[in-house]
Amino acid sequence: MTADPRFDQIIDRRGSHCIKWDMMESIYGVPGQDGLAMWVADMDFRPPQCVLDIVAKQLDHGIVGYFGNDGPYRDAIRWWMRERHGWSVDADAIFTVHGLVNGTAMCVDTWSQPGDGVVLFTPVYHAFAKVIRANDRRVVECEMTYDGTRYTPDFDAWDSVIEREGAKMMILCSPHNPNGRVWTRAELEGFAALAKRHDLILVSDEIHHDLVYPGHSHTPMAAIDGVEDRLVMMTATTKTFNIAGSHSGNVIVHHEKLRAQFAARMAALGMSPNSFGLFMATAAYSPEGAAWVDDLMVYLDGNRRLFDEGIDAIPGLKSVPLEATYLSWVDFSGTGMDREDFTRRVEQDAKIAANHGPTFGLGGAAFLRFNIATPRANVVEAVARMQAAFGDLQ
């Protein structure tokens, strides 16, 4: 497996107001001193040097004021989407929000009313359900089919659920978090057809679209024909370049009517972007940033293979094969243990903080989610701890 000093370096994040490392004891009971934080979806790597340099330049200047002339920023987004994803984006279609959880909440606020249903394909990123409920909307869960190795859509079953529950919009995670699927074009066409059959706004969260492993290729939902009149795209630099603290992201809306509706809500709420987020995104969406992402994916692929091999060697455990993301979804159903038992072993015996499966909705009860975007030494240590914690199953 390829070593890389940029990613192998262990950076102690404890005491830096880092939720991932500083709050795992209060949330999971995993001691900060010798625990491993593998829950929050940020990476334990520094972003590319071009991003660090632009932040340093702004601080050296000494004045932190309002951001103006966002043309280069929009051009950087358009360049990235064209070069990396084959997607042509209009500059006027780009709205900047304070991260994609905020973007999700903005979409829910714009295109639904209190009491309306919003469809999620579960198990799925837990923040979606949180903001839907916080906005006094109903979560309509459409559970995916899981065959013990792979998740697939079940459109026939979902038609019945949506007809029974009713809904105004659907949120698709593409690539999917937490199961790591990269949806095929045929599957994306199926999601688009589902939205059209039930007259739903389709919000496609594609925050993980740059984090795709060899042998797989991401297709933007915007490339699917016949869905533009109901499509809202969401993208961000934050997951790709590990700059989540910048709290920036983009809602991209090409359809004129939808664009006007979203612009009206942005104006009504007085939304304006964080200048550091715009500077960082502009620097990241560059040839230097692209080269860094390519190297990152080589490193993450090594972590993925090491983690999967180590977990799959434990009888009763299965790490669902990742096609994208750095979030491994581990199935404990084969152990025959109840959720409290296997979770206790992970948190108290292995001293690892991982996300609890039920927070991701229907289908998550027998799972934990592990973040493998960390120096390889931490992955090696995590595997060793897990094998020891479940050693009686050997």
Side-chain angles (χ1 to χ4, degrees), residues 1 3 74 167 260 337 372:
M1 296 180 186
R74 291 174 183 268
M337 299 177 184
I372 60 169

Side-chain angles (χ1 to χ4, degrees), residues 183-253:
W183 305 115
T184 66
R185 178 175 285 271
E187 288 170 330
L188 292 174
E189 290 171 347
F191 283 111
L194 185 72
K196 287 191 282 188
R197 281 197 300 277
H198 298 279
D199 194 23
L200 306 177
I201 295 291
L202 196 173
V203 177
S204 187
D205 179 349
E206 306 198 3
I207 197 169
H208 296 279
H209 63 175
D210 294 310
L211 306 173
V212 177
Y213 293 104
H216 303 281
S217 179
H218 172 77
T219 300
M221 179 58 82
I224 303 303
D225 293 335
V227 75
E228 184 179 287
D229 65 337
R230 64 189 66 250
L231 178 63
V232 179
M233 297 283 289
M234 297 201 303
T235 69
T237 53
T238 49
K239 284 288 182 289
T240 304
F241 298 98
N242 200 34
I243 51 176
S246 70
H247 274 285
S248 63
N250 298 109
V251 174
I252 301 176
V253 189

Side-chain angles (χ1 to χ4, degrees), residues 6 48-51 72 75-84 240-241 280-296:
R6 293 170 296 177
Q49 192 62 43
C50 57
V51 172
D75 287 344
I77 294 169
R78 297 177 69 209
W79 177 85
W80 187 268
M81 299 308 165
R82 182 179 64 250
E83 295 298 315
R84 303 289 286 192
T240 304
F241 298 98
M280 294 165 79
T282 305
Y285 281 159
S286 64
E288 184 178 342
W292 183 90
V293 173
D294 291 341
D295 293 341
L296 169 71

Side-chain angles (χ1 to χ4, degrees), residues 325-346:
T325 85
Y326 49 72
L327 303 166
S328 290
W329 188 234
V330 178
D331 182 359
F332 291 81
S333 61
T335 64
M337 299 177 184
D338 60 29
R339 185 170 65 84
E340 290 73 18
D341 191 5
F342 68 72
T343 302
R344 177 190 57 76
R345 291 187 184 219
V346 172

Side-chain angles (χ1 to χ4, degrees), residues 46 103 109 165 172-173 180-181 185 210 225 287 318 325 381:
R46 287 193 174 96
D109 180 64
E165 298 292 336
L172 176 66
C173 198
R181 275 298 316 278
R185 178 175 285 271
D210 294 310
D225 293 335
K318 174 65 178 177
T325 85
E381 177 65 17

Side-chain angles (χ1 to χ4, degrees), residues 294-313:
D294 291 341
D295 293 341
L296 169 71
M297 291 312 300
V298 171
Y299 191 87
L300 288 179
D301 192 32
N303 280 5
R304 171 184 69 145
R305 288 183 282 123
L306 191 156
F307 186 81
D308 285 355
E309 290 169 5
I311 296 301
D312 291 349

